[in-house]
Amino acid sequence: MIEYNEKSRVFNITNGSISYMIYLNSEGILETIYFGKAIAPLTDVSALRKSNEWHDSSFTYDNVNKTEYKYSDGFKNNSAPLEIGSHGKYDKRHAPIVIKQANGSYETDFRYDSFVIYKCIKPLTELPHVRKGNFETIEFICKEKESNVYLHLYISIDLDKDIIIKSFKIENKEKNNIKILRAESLQLDLPSDKYDLIHFHGRWQNERNCVEEPLIDGIKEISSNYGRSSHEENPLVIIKEKETNNEYGVAIGLNLIYSGNFKFRAHVTSYKQTHITYGMNDEDFEWELKSGECFETPQAVISYSYNGIEKVSQNFHSFILYNLLSEKNKLPKRIPFNSWEGCFFDFDTKTVTDYIDDGAKIGTELFVLDDGWFGKRNLDNAGLGDWVVNKEKIDLHKIINHCKSKGIAFGIWFEPEMINYDSDLYRSHPEFVLSNADNKTISCIRHQFHLDFSNADVIENIYNQMKAFLDEYEIDYIKWDCNRIICEHYSNKYPSEKQGEIYHRVILGYYKLLSRICDEYPNILIEGCASGGGRFDLGTLFYTPQIWASDESDPAVRMEINYNTSIGYPLSTIGAHVNASPITNYKTKAILALFGTYGYEMNPNKLTKEEIDSLSEIADVYHKYHKSVIEEGTLYHLLDPNKSNWMAMQSVSIDKSVSLCVCMNRKKEWDRYRFLKLKGLKKDSKYLNSYDNTIQTGEYLMNIGINMSNEWCNEFDCRLIIITEQK
Ligand code: GLA
């Protein structure tokens, strides 16, 4: 429910569980006065706002009436918690929106004009956004003090769970064009300096390490300028009160429905409050907004919990599954076999059909031919951009027919945003690449360039090539890869004054092509990918319901990648395969992959009978329980590998009748007391657990736990425990 009380001047945005309250002060500035567990609407905010009056020596000089005045109701304009800070004024905190007026002024100061309440959430026009759900929205319409530039602030609350969505729209009602220099999605001012920050740092093959650190005086930035959300930092961040742990205390998760450069900034100010801004990165950003035009920022998603980090996580999971993912998530989920790690570029028709035959023995239901099937692609130095089958290398019709004759679906790999310099496309269109103004030297990563997806002709070309292929071959699945970052971001298509728009326009181009392919081929499941998990974000998930999480499938490292990814993203979105890594046995690797999408990626001709049996055993578990428990169930993080020798996760079906639990150790461990307490079961029901085959009540399993003492555990051994309700 969203209400405005004219007397108290308080907007109360609540779902009965949390409240977000905004006070409209007499200067027309929106002050964030409360964000937390639901409380009765505040009728008198004077005590709450008292802090704003301290040590205030700031006045405004009215140059027309030649008088100095203080803000009438005690508003302290450099430290009050605000919804929209000003820029180029006394408030030196980072403003979420900065515009440069036609006269060259940077001053940006939005004041309240009016508001509208909607019983829904509004979609964005060009960007991925919340698709559906039980939302209410308030739109604040604010006007820049000195010009006719308007800022629309949207705050939506999910009435079913503790999720808030924020975004802005800038509208130029001036006669002249203006420049937007910063277009972030939110400001969130928290009233203390006692927070820790959790963020997900990494690199290729080692994505999303969970880093927890105190926010201390000064500025902490988590950002990407890689042209994609990046391996280096994920857009997921969590701010928690110091004493908060997995189950207790206040935690606020933030994420952004966007796949490009982003910037999260937490500023612990001199006044010991925490000023957060979050949205698109303003590095090299400069957007020309013509008279009459609007600019929408991506939507930021806030997950609030007063019951620890687990609740932040569960809110995000439910939000992604029910409010963000497309209908594609309802397509059949089949066990894939991916060719990449088995044969890389080195295959012919026979290699592939042999793989299909051997893959069938371990339950493969979808065969995916990865990189190497097109153009002159026998190594990574050629072919990208030429999306035609390399008929000298393979007979793709024969391969697909072979698959279909065995009842196996067929999938293919694309890297639509990329081009090798050794390709027909580059020879005919060298201007299609992102480059620099003189076009003399271009960064070349993996022998490839980034296509200029800000250019509609480029998108049209790639679209036509993909369409010709997809119309000729019967394809059930696409792996959509993106194997390099953006370095030079100069577009030949645009004039000099538009070059600050390119980073963002390239992302808009990515969304345009992806949405076109999604819409035209509703029955093709698409999995996102970017050198493993370099674009694991909500913008991509809007289109592709799963994303390849990492090029590292060695379970020792993957254990943490999957666990940490699942803090912000549901297990069903985490692309995970069993590979040939020698660190541990196939069963262990399969159990780990089961807590993701599950699939295979190795040379299947080399599997022993024993290995085939253990993979088939887990494939059976997949068929029985994956959908109801892993894809749709509730996830609990039982033991945190970032903090202990063990990793344990448990997922419980919605009706609580079945649960799967994985626990995996890092170092050899035996001869010790070890009880694994479960979560989320029905207290009074009886459950059989597959670990010791005893039947216990939910209450017993949640309070005493499964007795795993004295079990020998080798490095990276793991156990899968199936817990089933006994009626
Ligand atoms: C990326 C992907 C891999 C594979 C290769 C192919 O690295 O993450 O899974 O598809 O590209 O070149």
Side-chain angles (χ1 to χ4, degrees):
M1 186 190 56
I2 304 181
E3 271 179 348
Y4 178 55
N5 181 329
E6 276 182 36
K7 206 156 157 257
S8 61
R9 297 174 72 91
V10 173
F11 293 90
N12 184 21
I13 301 166
T14 183
N15 59 7
S17 169
I18 54 167
S19 305
Y20 192 103
M21 292 190 204
I22 296 170
Y23 171 71
L24 172 62
N25 76 19
S26 58
E27 289 293 321
I29 292 170
L30 299 169
E31 297 183 27
T32 317
I33 45 165
Y34 180 74
F35 184 26
K37 199 167 184 171
I39 53 170
L42 295 164
T43 44
D44 177 8
V45 295
S46 51
L48 205 161
R49 297 183 63 252
K50 213 169 149 230
S51 50
N52 295 344
E53 292 165 12
W54 294 350
H55 317 297
D56 193 353
S57 59
S58 112
F59 293 80
T60 299
Y61 186 69
D62 179 339
N63 211 5
V64 179
N65 298 311
K66 306 290 176 210
T67 49
E68 188 180 62
Y69 72 96
K70 194 171 176 177
Y71 284 134
S72 51
D73 64 355
F75 163 63
K76 190 163 192 296
N77 61 353
N78 67 344
S79 62
L82 304 179
E83 284 300 303
I84 312 159
S86 59
H87 180 82
K89 313 236 358 146
Y90 184 54
D91 186 353
K92 285 295 174 187
R93 296 168 296 177
H94 192 82
I97 305 290
V98 177
I99 55 176
K100 189 175 176 187
Q101 306 285 358
N103 61 9
S105 162
Y106 290 88
E107 193 177 314
T108 310
D109 187 3
F110 290 105
R111 303 291 172 103
Y112 170 86
D113 176 85
S114 54
F115 74 91
V116 191
I117 292 173
Y118 307 93
K119 298 276 175 213
C120 60
I121 183 162
K122 301 196 105 192
L124 302 182
T125 46
E126 281 190 291
L127 286 164
H129 50 260
V130 179
R131 281 184 189 273
K132 54 183 193 292
N134 191 10
F135 284 90
E136 275 188 28
T137 301
I138 182 160
E139 174 183 1
F140 290 101
I141 300 150
C142 302
K143 184 187 164 302
E144 209 286 316
K145 220 168 156 239
E146 306 299 333
S147 67
N148 281 315
V149 178
Y150 284 75
L151 185 66
H152 304 249
L153 160 62
Y154 298 92
I155 306 178
S156 304
I157 186 155
D158 188 330
L159 302 179
D160 299 332
K161 57 187 166 297
D162 296 340
I163 290 280
I164 284 183
I165 311 292
K166 282 182 116 185
S167 70
F168 288 113
K169 181 171 83 182
I170 305 161
E171 186 180 7
N172 184 7
K173 291 193 184 176
E174 283 282 287
K175 283 198 208 76
N176 298 313
N177 300 348
I178 58 165
K179 290 268 186 186
I180 305 169
L181 302 183
R182 186 182 301 149
E184 293 178 353
S185 300
L186 67 74
Q187 171 165 338
L188 184 63
D189 286 337
L190 301 173
S192 120
D193 63 340
K194 307 224 167 3
Y195 300 101
D196 290 331
L197 175 70
I198 299 173
H199 60 104
F200 298 86
H201 184 80
R203 61 173 174 80
W204 177 60
Q205 288 197 312
N206 193 1
E207 296 89 340
R208 294 176 290 287
N209 293 287
C210 183
V211 182
E212 190 172 323
E213 56 187 297
L215 283 175
I216 50 167
D217 293 0
I219 292 159
K220 175 81 189 175
E221 179 181 310
I222 304 295
S223 61
S224 162
N225 61 0
Y226 291 84
R228 60 185 183 190
S229 46
S230 88
H231 295 92
E232 286 69 15
E233 286 288 357
N234 191 267
L236 170 69
V237 291
I238 299 170
I239 301 138
K240 65 170 201 63
E241 289 183 354
K242 294 261 175 232
E243 58 278 11
T244 296
N245 63 21
N246 210 32
E247 289 176 321
Y248 304 100
V250 169
I252 305 171
L254 298 176
N255 208 330
L256 197 64
I257 309 181
Y258 190 59
S259 309
N261 294 344
F262 71 92
K263 184 164 94 176
F264 163 88
R265 201 169 176 276
H267 180 185
V268 178
T269 70
S270 328
Y271 296 101
K272 303 292 181 194
Q273 43 168 208
T274 304
H275 171 72
I276 289 163
T277 46
Y278 187 38
M280 282 166 42
N281 198 333
D282 55 356
E283 182 177 305
D284 296 351
F285 177 80
E286 194 179 73
W287 190 276
E288 184 180 42
L289 195 66
K290 296 212 168 80
S291 169
E293 281 183 352
C294 290
F295 181 92
E296 289 175 328
T297 72
Q299 290 174 334
V301 185
I302 307 173
S303 166
Y304 190 93
S305 164
Y306 42 82
N307 288 321
I309 295 165
E310 193 77 283
K311 196 71 193 145
V312 165
S313 172
Q314 290 174 352
N315 290 341
F316 272 137
H317 293 176
S318 155
F319 167 76
I320 293 168
L321 291 176
Y322 303 109
N323 308 113
L324 186 75
L325 296 186
S326 70
E327 291 293 298
K328 285 209 183 293
N329 194 39
K330 298 196 179 129
L331 290 172
K333 299 269 169 65
R334 304 172 169 113
I335 298 181
F337 188 104
N338 182 295
S339 65
W340 179 244
E341 289 192 24
C343 56
F344 297 103
F345 296 105
D346 187 15
F347 56 82
D348 56 17
T349 306
K350 170 131 183 14
T351 324
V352 178
T353 51
D354 283 355
Y355 266 47
I356 293 165
D357 293 345
D358 289 329
K361 294 181 194 153
I362 45 175
T364 296
E365 299 168 296
L366 162 73
F367 184 84
V368 180
L369 187 58
D370 207 281
D371 199 351
W373 58 268
F374 51 90
K376 296 267 177 297
R377 186 87 167 158
N378 292 313
L379 274 179
D380 62 6
N381 58 357
L384 290 172
D386 301 338
W387 299 107
V388 281
V389 177
N390 181 347
K391 292 195 173 144
E392 286 165 23
K393 188 170 176 178
I394 47 162
D395 180 344
L396 193 57
H397 282 298
K398 187 169 173 194
I399 290 172
I400 295 178
N401 289 340
H402 189 76
C403 260
K404 305 274 157 147
S405 71
K406 290 177 140 333
I408 295 176
F410 184 79
I412 200 86
W413 180 92
F414 275 105
E415 200 182 352
E417 295 137 276
M418 296 296 155
I419 183 166
N420 281 115
Y421 55 83
D422 185 0
S423 65
D424 291 342
L425 186 64
Y426 189 67
R427 280 182 281 275
S428 54
H429 287 291
E431 78 285 4
F432 272 12
V433 303
L434 282 176
S435 158
N436 42 37
D438 66 9
N439 211 3
K440 282 194 182 137
T441 54
I442 322 173
S443 303
C444 191
I445 303 167
R446 218 191 185 212
H447 317 286
Q448 66 198 62
F449 304 135
H450 201 297
L451 281 169
D452 179 4
F453 262 40
S454 70
N455 179 345
D457 302 339
V458 176
I459 295 178
E460 197 58 24
N461 181 300
I462 301 297
Y463 165 77
N464 287 331
Q465 291 197 56
M466 289 179 80
K467 181 169 168 48
F469 174 84
L470 294 173
D471 289 347
E472 179 173 350
Y473 295 92
E474 198 188 326
I475 302 296
D476 303 294
Y477 160 105
I478 291 173
K479 179 173 167 189
W480 184 302
D481 212 336
C482 171
N483 275 320
R484 65 157 279 182
I485 59 169
I486 298 178
C487 303
E488 296 81 8
H489 48 91
Y490 187 90
S491 166
N492 296 296
K493 186 75 184 170
Y494 286 91
S496 60
E497 64 276 15
K498 290 278 201 187
Q499 294 301 326
E501 302 179 9
I502 302 306
Y503 267 134
H504 183 52
R505 285 193 182 277
V506 168
I507 296 298
L508 294 178
Y510 161 55
Y511 292 146
K512 256 183 215 136
L513 182 62
L514 187 51
S515 65
R516 208 163 159 193
I517 297 290
C518 284
D519 293 349
E520 258 175 65
Y521 301 95
N523 294 324
I524 299 184
L525 179 67
I526 307 185
E527 176 157 351
C529 178
S531 308
R535 198 156 59 184
F536 208 108
D537 58 59
L538 299 183
T540 296
L541 280 178
F542 177 82
Y543 302 99
T544 78
Q546 57 195 63
I547 301 177
W548 181 229
S550 177
D551 276 346
E552 183 59 271
S553 293
D554 160 355
V557 181
R558 244 315 170 109
M559 160 173 73
E560 283 174 46
I561 296 175
N562 287 6
Y563 182 96
N564 292 337
T565 306
S566 77
I567 294 172
Y569 305 90
L571 294 178
S572 70
T573 65
I574 302 175
H577 295 169
V578 181
N579 79 346
S581 158
I583 298 279
T584 184
N585 58 51
Y586 272 103
K587 186 159 179 188
T588 289
K589 292 183 282 189
I591 295 170
L592 195 63
L594 190 68
F595 279 72
T597 55
Y598 193 69
Y600 307 118
E601 191 155 341
M602 77 285 276
N603 182 344
N605 321 138
K606 291 192 176 156
L607 294 172
T608 63
K609 158 94 181 53
E610 208 189 9
E611 289 165 347
I612 291 174
D613 287 349
S614 52
L615 291 176
S616 305
E617 185 193 326
I618 302 300
D620 287 346
V621 178
Y622 173 92
H623 287 301
K624 245 173 140 174
Y625 300 121
H626 199 268
K627 185 166 169 32
S628 63
V629 181
I630 300 291
E631 293 168 33
E632 294 169 358
T634 308
L635 181 68
Y636 296 89
H637 296 88
L638 303 182
L639 296 172
D640 183 347
N642 306 295
K643 294 180 177 153
S644 76
N645 188 38
W646 282 78
M647 182 282 279
M649 288 192 274
Q650 183 203 353
S651 196
V652 185
S653 65
I654 290 172
D655 67 1
K656 302 185 179 188
S657 66
V658 199
S659 174
L660 296 185
C661 176
V662 57
C663 49
M664 183 169 182
N665 75 329
R666 198 188 304 261
K667 279 187 290 186
K668 192 178 287 183
E669 226 192 33
W670 66 294
D671 205 8
R672 53 161 289 179
Y673 264 65
R674 195 187 294 122
F675 286 85
L676 185 69
K677 289 185 194 174
L678 302 183
K679 288 192 179 160
L681 302 175
K682 286 186 266 184
K683 184 170 153 280
D684 297 324
S685 286
K686 292 197 162 153
Y687 292 91
L688 170 69
N689 82 73
S690 67
Y691 180 79
D692 59 14
N693 287 318
T694 59
I695 295 179
Q696 309 286 1
T697 59
E699 181 180 60
Y700 178 101
L701 292 167
M702 293 189 291
N703 290 288
I704 297 175
I706 297 176
N707 187 353
M708 298 175 76
S709 310
N710 300 329
E711 160 114 7
W712 178 270
C713 286
N714 276 320
E715 282 85 354
F716 309 115
D717 253 8
C718 90
R719 302 284 179 271
L720 172 68
I721 307 173
I722 304 171
I723 302 112
T724 42
E725 188 181 14
Q726 306 297 298
K727 295 255 162 104

